[in-house]
């Protein structure tokens, strides 16, 4: 199998070893973070309980948020300081308009591609200069992330950290962000050593194929760094743990698959399309969507396909995607995992996630499209005792 950026199968035929290794690495990440950030995490959770700014989060989620802050600071902190106010404001408004107006999305995508390439597209080789921590620089980073339209859920949570910082001294803020950056550096080095075999083609893709995405709306998405793949891999494991209890307590289960899993794409697929979701008719035996749909019928869970995460969160359609008391198993490629998991939590949907073994959609990754797959044993593990 040709690997575009990542493959959970590594040198093998299944993702079994990957899931064992990510389980172990997530334990290491949480232990490392608690060793240096325990006091900060406890203070932040106490702040959330007092201020009632958001739904309750676990200690593990708070660690993930600080790790995200550190990683994004290291990757995009320098670029974010050079974005002028006018293009920043225009792009944030465009992102909001794109999210809430499906009919305008194609036209906005064209504009977004031009502006992103001109004002946001980060330099692959100029991210070693790490900006000094500070309140103003944090705000610039969050504004830059908002302008991309790719980090909506991450920004929402980091904005709450920003409000937490308002009660602290400049020196305290400096120390916390510095610790997050140090954790991110440790994470980057450790992740390359422990799970790097699964993302070995990311650098090749960035060097050879990223320029082809200039002037396209996905120039930032497809330009994500290797450490961001690792961040989402670990984030998915941490979030599955945090959301597990709520998921298992639901009486119904729904497996949400991306349309890139179907064989033949939109041309050959005979699935029923209601505008927001697709329902498999089980017409191609070797298509994994067909196989999973049959498994769902036998084991009592529903299966739907969606083309994009906006199909789930859209409020412009009165058709309800799933019933209440439903636990959702979301399937996506690595770079959508953290944002997708938090989107479902924001909607009050208990969720678990399964990673695509590799990416291959025609929209972002491959000119002709490669049908993607998941590890069936991982799905069985999530459904067990639920």
């Amino acid at each position: 199998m040709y690997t575009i950026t990542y493959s959970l199968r590594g040198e093998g035929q299944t993702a079994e070893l990957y899931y064992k290794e990510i389980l172990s690495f997530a334990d290491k990440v949480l232990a490392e973070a608690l060793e240096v950030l325990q006091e900060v995490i406890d203070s932040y959770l106490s702040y959330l309980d007092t201020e009632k700014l958001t739904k309750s989060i676990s200690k593990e989620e708070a660690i993930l948020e600080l790790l995200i802050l550190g990683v994004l600071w290291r990757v995009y902190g320098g670029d974010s300081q050079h974005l002028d106010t006018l293009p920043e404001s225009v792009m944030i408004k465009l992102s909001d308009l794109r999210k809430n107006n499906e009919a305008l999305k194609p036209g906005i995508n064209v504009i977004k591609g031009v502006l992103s390439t001109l004002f946001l597209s980060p330099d692959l080789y100029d991210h070693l200069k790490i900006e000094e921590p500070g309140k103003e620089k944090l705000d610039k980073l969050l504004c830059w992330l908002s302008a991309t339209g790719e980090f909506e859920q991450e920004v929402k949570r980091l904005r709450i950290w920003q409000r937490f910082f308002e009660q602290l001294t400049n020196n305290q803020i400096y120390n916390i962000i510095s610790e997050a950056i140090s954790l991110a550096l440790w994470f980057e080095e450790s992740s390359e050593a422990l799970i790097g075999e699964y993302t070995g083609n990311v650098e090749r893709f960035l060097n050879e194929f990223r320029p082809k995405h200039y002037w396209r709306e996905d120039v930032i998405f497809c330009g994500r760094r290797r450490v961001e793949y690792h961040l989402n891999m670990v984030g998915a494991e941490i979030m599955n743990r945090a959301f597990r209890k709520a998921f298992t307590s639901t009486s119904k289960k729904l497996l949400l698959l991306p349309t890139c899993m179907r064989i033949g794409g939109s041309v050959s697929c005979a699935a029923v399309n209601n505008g927001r979701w697709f329902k498999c008719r089980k017409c191609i035996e070797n298509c994994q969507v067909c196989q999973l749909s049959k498994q769902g019928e036998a084991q009592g869970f529903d299966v739907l396909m969606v083309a994009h995460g906006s199909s789930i969160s859209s409020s412009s359609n009165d058709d309800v995607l799933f019933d209440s008391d439903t636990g959702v198993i979301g399937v996506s490629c690595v770079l959508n995992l953290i944002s997708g998991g938090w989107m479902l939590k924001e909607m009050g949907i208990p969720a678990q996630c399964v990673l695509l073994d590799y990416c291959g959609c025609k929209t972002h990754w491959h000119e002709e499209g490669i049908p993607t797959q998941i590890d069936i044993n991982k799905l069985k593990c999530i459904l067990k005792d639920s």
Side-chain angles (χ1 to χ4, degrees), residues 22-88:
I22 200 65
L23 185 73
S24 174
F25 184 48
D27 288 338
K28 287 183 172 65
V29 171
L30 293 173
E32 178 71 18
L34 284 175
E35 185 173 331
V36 295
L37 294 166
Q38 176 78 65
E39 185 176 340
V40 174
I41 296 297
D42 289 344
S43 179
Y44 181 66
L45 293 177
S46 176
Y47 168 79
L48 293 182
D49 288 340
T50 302
E51 298 296 324
K52 307 296 182 186
L53 294 175
T54 185
K55 295 178 182 178
S56 62
I57 67 171
S58 65
K59 182 175 293 188
E60 290 77 13
E61 286 179 86
I63 289 172
L64 177 59
E65 290 173 1
L66 267 184
L67 178 59
I68 288 171
L69 172 59
V71 169
L72 296 184
W73 192 290
R74 281 180 53 79
V75 175
Y76 301 114
D79 295 291
S80 66
Q81 306 307 308
H82 307 298
L83 179 61
D84 292 333
T85 303
L86 180 57
E88 170 194 302

Side-chain angles (χ1 to χ4, degrees), residues 67-133:
L67 178 59
I68 288 171
L69 172 59
V71 169
L72 296 184
W73 192 290
R74 281 180 53 79
V75 175
Y76 301 114
D79 295 291
S80 66
Q81 306 307 308
H82 307 298
L83 179 61
D84 292 333
T85 303
L86 180 57
E88 170 194 302
S89 177
V90 170
M91 296 195 70
I92 290 175
K93 289 178 180 178
L94 277 175
S95 294
D96 290 339
L97 189 62
R98 178 176 180 266
K99 180 179 65 175
N100 297 315
N101 295 271
E102 194 67 26
L104 298 177
K105 191 173 180 179
I108 293 175
N109 282 347
V110 173
I111 301 172
K112 182 190 177 195
V114 173
L115 295 180
S116 294
T117 302
L118 288 174
F119 297 108
L120 298 179
S121 189
D123 188 334
L124 287 177
Y125 306 102
D126 191 34
H127 66 284
L128 296 179
K129 178 182 177 296
I130 309 302
E131 290 292 327
E132 285 290 307

Side-chain angles (χ1 to χ4, degrees), residues 91 139 141 252:
M91 296 195 70
D139 190 63
L141 172 62
K252 291 171 283 188

Side-chain angles (χ1 to χ4, degrees), residues 19 232-233 235-240 243 247 255 328-332 336-338 340-341 344 351-356 378-379 382:
Y19 282 110
N232 275 268
M233 289 172 168
E237 173 61 30
I238 291 174
M239 293 168 80
N240 272 358
F243 304 158
F247 173 83
L255 177 62
V328 171
I329 305 169
V331 175
S332 76
N336 288 316
L337 288 170
I338 290 177
L344 289 170
Q352 297 283 275
C353 71
V354 178
L355 290 66
L356 288 173
K378 178 61 177 178
L379 176 63
I382 287 177

